[in-house]
């Protein structure tokens, strides 16, 4: 049998080359590096046995119906899979895979630390200041920031990415580590002297709070008005996980009131919109003390090629009758 595989957007080529070599795969790629319009997606998935999806494409009952009853697998080109209706896929016996990879965890950990530095050292703000010709004289109090050295980092979610952040900050910057998770991480505790606490305690003690949890019903708005009030006035919040983990409007209010010092965000509640409601005057982009990146924490060539290979490996295992290595349970 030949499996028709539809790829919903151009991706880095290594996985594509692997799929092209497989004799039982008939590959079709949406041939643009832009989001496929929904109507075109519905048309193009028709007859597909396997969809290689991007996290911007909602893989719901409508798409599964559009593909047809022969649809057997959805291979996501992402670590997260909150774009896929897992329940619906299970009901239909469709195998779902994601693309977790060590390289990606390192990329996101690096980006998280970069956001911390950008905030603490006011990099974006001072760059704008310098370019605008405002630097007239050195001053002892000019654009004071804060150091990371010796401070406390609070990690919410101690998986690969959270642990990667901790190792960098503990080993490189002598930071104390507090963390919370659904279960303890003895290895992390042993290696970095990380202390396990409740979410409230982590929020209260940390100078930098970094989020590394998947988006689940239990983590939606994990950080809201109440949690933000628990943080130190001098603390920074970093989110490189998923936007809806933070109640974004509550965050804007908290930043405006000076309840926390700043935020570094790579993900947004109504992504790709940066502001869910343009009519309420609560727009992150109006604030000086935020640094915003467009969901690029894993955007390195190394990682995006690794994701391409992993998505292909999952598909190749499936078409060879094996259990794909990253099957979502
Ligand atoms: C993922 O893989 O889930 C990232 O958010 C995008 O690379």
């Amino acid at each position: 049998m030949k499996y028709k595989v539809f790829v919903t957007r151009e991706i880095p080529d290594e996985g594509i080359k692997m799929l092209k070599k497989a004799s039982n795969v008939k590959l079709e790629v949406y041939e643009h590096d832009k989001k496929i319009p929904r109507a075109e997606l519905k048309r193009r998935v028709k007859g597909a046995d396997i969809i290689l999806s991007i996290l911007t494409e909602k893989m719901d009952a409508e798409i599964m119906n559009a593909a047809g009853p022969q649809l057997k697998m959805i291979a996501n080109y992402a670590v997260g899979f909150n774009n896929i209706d897992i329940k619906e896929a299970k009901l239909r016996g469709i195998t779902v895979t994601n693309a977790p990879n060590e390289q990606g965890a390192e990329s996101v950990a690096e980006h998280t630390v970069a956001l911390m530095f950008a905030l603490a050292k006011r990099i974006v703000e001072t760059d704008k200041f310098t370019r605008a010709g405002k630097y007239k004289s050195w001053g002892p109090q000019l654009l004071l920031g804060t150091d990371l050295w010796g401070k406390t980092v609070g990690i919410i979610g101690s998986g690969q990415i959270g642990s990667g952040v901790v190792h960098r900050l503990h080993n490189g910057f002598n930071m104390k580590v507090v963390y919370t998770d659904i279960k303890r991480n003895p290895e992390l505790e042993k290696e970095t002297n990380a202390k396990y606490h409740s979410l409230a305690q982590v929020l209260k003690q940390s100078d930098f709070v970094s989020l590394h949890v998947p988006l689940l019903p239990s983590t939606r708005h994990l950080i809201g008005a109440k949690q933000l009030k628990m943080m130190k006035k001098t603390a920074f919040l970093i989110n490189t996980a998923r936007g809806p983990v933070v109640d974004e409007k509550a965050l804007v209010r908290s930043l405006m009131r000076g309840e926390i010092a700043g935020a570094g965000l790579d993900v947004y509640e109504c992504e790709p919109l940066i502001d869910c409601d343009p009519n309420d005057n609560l727009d992150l982009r109006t604030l000086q003390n935020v640094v915003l990146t467009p969901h690029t924490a894993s955007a390195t060539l190394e990682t995006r090629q690794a994701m391409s290979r992993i998505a292909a490996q999952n598909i190749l295992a499936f078409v060879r009758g094996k259990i794909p290595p990253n099957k979502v349970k």
Side-chain angles (χ1 to χ4, degrees):
M1 157 172 193
K2 244 194 173 10
Y3 290 82
K4 179 182 163 185
V5 178
F6 180 67
V7 185
T8 66
R9 184 171 179 160
E10 270 183 4
I11 59 172
D13 61 351
E14 290 185 12
I16 296 295
K17 282 184 188 153
M18 288 161 66
L19 292 172
K20 275 187 180 156
K21 277 193 207 144
S23 55
N24 58 347
V25 166
K26 185 172 172 284
L27 192 65
E28 194 185 312
V29 182
Y30 178 62
E31 47 291 292
H32 306 281
D33 187 18
K34 63 172 192 192
K35 184 171 162 53
I36 185 168
R38 184 81 174 168
E40 183 158 5
L41 176 63
K42 280 165 67 180
R43 196 166 45 76
R44 300 278 298 267
V45 293
K46 200 173 165 43
D49 299 292
I50 299 173
I51 302 174
L52 195 165
S53 54
I54 306 302
L55 61 81
T56 49
E57 271 33 281
K58 245 189 166 9
M59 291 288 129
D60 52 12
E62 191 185 30
I63 293 298
M64 297 175 199
N65 287 339
Q70 78 300 323
L71 181 67
K72 297 170 190 61
M73 178 187 198
I74 300 175
N76 217 29
Y77 179 83
V79 180
F81 44 84
N82 49 299
N83 58 313
I84 303 176
D85 187 337
I86 300 289
K87 234 178 166 175
E88 190 62 40
K90 265 202 187 128
L91 277 176
R92 297 171 187 236
I94 297 170
T95 297
V96 174
T97 58
N98 66 339
N101 64 97
E102 269 173 38
Q103 187 69 45
E106 302 306 341
S107 300
V108 178
E110 283 185 9
H111 196 89
T112 303
V113 174
L115 287 173
M116 288 182 189
F117 271 106
L119 289 162
K121 305 291 167 183
R122 301 173 68 172
I123 299 294
V124 177
E125 208 182 329
T126 51
D127 174 86
K128 280 190 194 142
F129 177 90
T130 311
R131 285 170 199 263
K134 292 184 183 167
Y135 179 43
K136 303 292 182 203
S137 152
W138 182 88
Q141 303 202 76
L142 179 66
L143 293 162
L144 295 183
T146 183
D147 292 323
L148 273 77
W149 183 264
K151 297 272 165 57
T152 299
V153 61
I155 299 291
I156 320 284
S158 64
Q160 248 188 331
I161 300 175
S163 299
V165 172
V166 167
H167 282 117
R168 284 166 174 79
L169 296 176
H170 177 73
N171 299 336
F173 298 92
N174 190 32
M175 288 182 80
K176 296 179 205 61
V177 183
V178 289
Y179 79 103
T180 194
D181 206 332
I182 45 171
K183 58 179 181 3
R184 286 176 81 144
N185 186 333
E187 208 180 313
L188 193 70
E189 292 182 18
K190 199 168 145 216
E191 288 168 358
T192 65
N193 200 24
K195 303 283 185 234
Y196 183 77
H197 287 292
S198 65
L199 175 62
Q201 276 306 319
V202 169
L203 294 171
K204 281 179 191 160
Q205 292 179 31
S206 304
D207 300 299
F208 295 83
V209 172
S210 196
L211 304 175
H212 302 288
V213 291
L215 178 60
L216 301 167
S218 58
T219 60
R220 185 172 289 273
H221 285 192
L222 183 69
I223 304 297
K226 188 174 153 206
Q227 290 72 27
L228 290 160
K229 282 200 176 79
M230 292 177 185
M231 289 174 64
K232 295 181 188 175
K233 271 193 155 59
T234 50
F236 298 97
L237 178 74
I238 318 293
N239 188 8
T240 54
R242 284 293 183 263
V245 173
V246 176
D247 177 346
E248 209 167 80
K249 293 297 175 187
L251 173 63
V252 176
R253 282 193 197 94
S254 169
L255 287 161
M256 282 173 160
R257 291 184 194 129
E259 285 169 2
I260 65 170
L265 306 174
D266 186 50
V267 286
Y268 306 91
E269 201 166 346
C270 299
E271 212 173 311
L273 294 180
I274 306 299
D275 186 5
C276 293
D277 179 0
N279 299 315
D280 62 5
N281 289 325
L282 294 169
D283 187 338
L284 282 164
R285 289 166 298 188
T286 62
L287 305 176
Q288 283 287 335
N289 52 347
V290 297
V291 175
L292 308 173
T293 54
H295 204 149
T296 46
S298 73
T300 65
L301 188 58
E302 299 94 310
T303 286
R304 294 293 164 87
Q305 285 288 23
M307 288 163 68
S308 175
R309 288 194 301 274
I310 288 167
Q313 278 158 8
N314 282 319
I315 292 174
L316 291 175
F318 185 84
V319 302
R320 287 168 189 153
K322 299 198 180 107
I323 298 174
N326 306 109
K327 184 169 173 187
V328 173
K329 294 196 181 93

